[in-house]
Amino acid sequence: MATAKVLAGARVVLPTGTVTDGRVIVDGTRIAGSAPESTPAVDLSGHWVVPGFVDMHNHGGGGASFTSGTVEEILKGIHTHRLHGTTTVVPSFVTGETDFLTQRAGLLSELAEQGEIAGIHFEGPFISPCRKGAHDETLLRDPDPAEVRKLVDAARGRAKMVTLATELPGGLDSVRLLADQGVIAAIGHTDATYEQTVQAIDAGATVATHLFNAMPPLGHRAPGPIAALLEDERITVELINDGTHLHPAALQLAFHHKGGERVAFITDAMDAAGFGDGRYMLGPMEVEVKESVARLVEGGSIAGSTLTLDRAFKRAATVDRLPVEDIVRAISANPARLLGIDDTVGSLEPGKDADLVVLDAEFELKGVMRKGEWIVGPHLA
């Protein structure tokens, strides 16, 4: 075990709970169950060790767009998020022409085959013009199952999720198609009623795309999709915990109803994440980022985020005061399970990839390891 190393002395968050003065043994690219006495140790006293973050909804970062960037730019964006603890990412496309999206899906499927990404998410074009957010309305269309199938096929087995306004013509049939293909059908950018949302869940939808955002608000006579998505245990809800997309009370409401097992923290990041303010393109839409908030130049709609998951983790721990174990589930274990990759990532267990994040007592990122190699640090006091 010449490549083995021991990370010792930290509070280690395991699926069974937090172990104080814990040890994580790394052998090569994987977590191991034991190591010889002579194995070198890294003293992480006063720190947390948590699984690497898994982001299942991310449009870009580091100045790069996953929808339109070159391979080199996409890899730069992926690396930017790795520097912030996201060791596993699913790039998300915004709405575009079908031929463009199929071409992009083929390109990104190659990166998935190389292990750089964990799959592809199509956010649009099958979404409601009433709740389009930062999507080009002229490119939106109803979710015809044949067209949905065309996008999924273009991804060559690497499509992980498709966001749909399931109330549109063809929506329920498309949900059934996706479920049959083993692809997550996510309800989002929707103007559905409560009853229509229940129908979509019964048809096989399992995720709520950025709950609360781009859907009708909760009402006492017309509860809309939010009530249906919160009450059904078959649904995992995405949350963007950046302090802009959600009021803290909305986040607490989601955790109250879903518990730690049915929430997935996402970034919904665009190019400016980890890069800075300025003008950017989100698909064909121009975006201006001011003070880290992204909005469309025309209309002013929020246009994704500049969030990184280390910031989402810190906010959840320090502002929202969530138990660290629940944060780890939401930021690692739950998205890994949804994506069907929890046999290799999402928790610190022997045999899994040595993907982990080191945080200090104030939840500032101090180290990132991916497949046994340090990408960041560890920077220890």
Side-chain angles (χ1 to χ4, degrees):
M1 295 181 70
T3 59
K5 44 189 166 277
V6 175
L7 312 181
R11 284 174 285 187
V12 180
V13 182
L14 302 174
T16 52
T18 299
V19 177
T20 57
D21 195 19
R23 284 160 43 101
V24 178
I25 301 166
V26 176
D27 183 14
T29 64
R30 297 187 180 261
I31 298 170
S34 61
E37 291 291 331
S38 59
T39 304
V42 178
D43 183 8
L44 295 178
S45 300
H47 292 75
W48 294 85
V49 175
V50 300
F53 308 146
V54 180
D55 192 355
M56 58 189 282
H57 186 157
N58 186 321
H59 295 282
S65 166
F66 294 150
T67 299
S68 58
T70 64
V71 170
E72 183 179 3
E73 289 168 343
I74 292 167
L75 291 172
K76 179 184 177 184
I78 293 166
H79 183 67
T80 296
H81 284 282
R82 286 178 183 167
L83 295 176
H84 293 275
T86 299
T87 51
T88 302
V89 65
V90 173
S92 302
F93 293 148
V94 294
T95 292
E97 296 282 4
T98 299
D99 288 347
F100 172 75
L101 291 175
T102 56
Q103 182 267 331
R104 297 298 296 177
L107 178 71
L108 264 72
S109 68
E110 295 178 13
L111 293 179
E113 289 159 10
Q114 295 163 16
E116 297 289 350
I117 62 174
I120 301 166
H121 166 215
F122 295 94
E123 188 184 21
F126 311 114
I127 61 176
S128 171
C130 303
R131 305 287 173 178
K132 64 182 184 296
H135 292 252
D136 186 344
E137 186 171 351
T138 65
L139 298 175
L140 301 182
R141 44 207 178 273
D142 291 339
D144 174 63
E147 195 169 355
V148 174
R149 180 63 183 264
K150 185 176 180 180
L151 291 187
V152 170
D153 287 349
R156 304 204 299 257
R158 302 295 179 168
K160 288 293 185 179
M161 183 162 66
V162 178
T163 294
L164 306 159
T166 53
E167 75 277 10
L168 295 175
L172 295 181
D173 285 340
S174 292
V175 169
R176 296 184 187 103
L177 167 71
L178 292 168
D180 288 344
Q181 294 289 312
V183 178
I184 297 166
I187 300 171
H189 288 274
T190 177
D191 205 40
T193 64
Y194 173 89
E195 291 77 14
Q196 288 171 327
T197 306
V198 170
Q199 286 183 310
I201 298 169
D202 287 341
T206 56
V207 166
T209 293
H210 44 53
L211 184 73
F212 300 111
N213 296 112
M215 59 182 64
L218 187 64
H220 63 292
R221 291 194 182 93
I226 293 172
L229 295 166
L230 283 177
E231 72 183 7
D232 199 303
E233 64 182 13
R234 293 171 291 181
I235 291 290
T236 299
V237 299
E238 294 181 345
L239 298 177
I240 309 170
N241 194 24
D242 61 354
T244 298
H245 281 79
L246 296 177
H247 189 284
L251 181 136
Q252 293 292 347
L253 180 68
F255 270 89
H256 175 76
H257 282 274
K258 308 305 286 189
E261 297 297 328
R262 291 290 181 266
V263 172
F265 281 143
I266 60 164
T267 61
D268 194 20
M270 46 77 71
D271 312 16
F275 201 66
D277 290 356
R279 292 271 181 126
Y280 297 87
M281 298 302 294
L282 186 61
M285 311 292 279
E286 190 173 12
V287 175
E288 184 166 15
V289 179
K290 284 185 179 179
E291 297 178 354
S292 298
V293 177
R295 293 186 180 276
L296 289 182
V297 172
E298 288 192 25
S301 292
I302 293 177
S305 84
T306 61
L307 186 64
T308 51
L309 282 180
D310 57 334
R311 284 172 42 215
F313 195 115
K314 181 174 181 176
R315 180 178 177 84
T318 60
V319 176
D320 304 306
R321 300 289 181 180
L322 294 174
V324 172
E325 293 82 4
D326 281 351
I327 301 170
V328 167
R329 291 186 189 101
I331 215 164
S332 301
N334 297 344
R337 183 189 71 247
L338 285 165
L339 295 168
I341 55 176
D342 53 333
D343 57 334
T344 55
V345 300
S347 60
L348 300 176
E349 297 177 90
K352 293 193 177 185
D353 289 350
D355 292 357
L356 57 87
V357 175
V358 179
L359 305 167
D360 68 14
E362 285 74 44
F363 301 100
E364 290 286 345
L365 184 142
K366 296 297 179 181
V368 180
M369 178 183 286
R370 184 174 187 270
K371 296 187 184 298
E373 296 291 331
W374 290 110
I375 296 174
V376 177
H379 304 299
L380 307 177

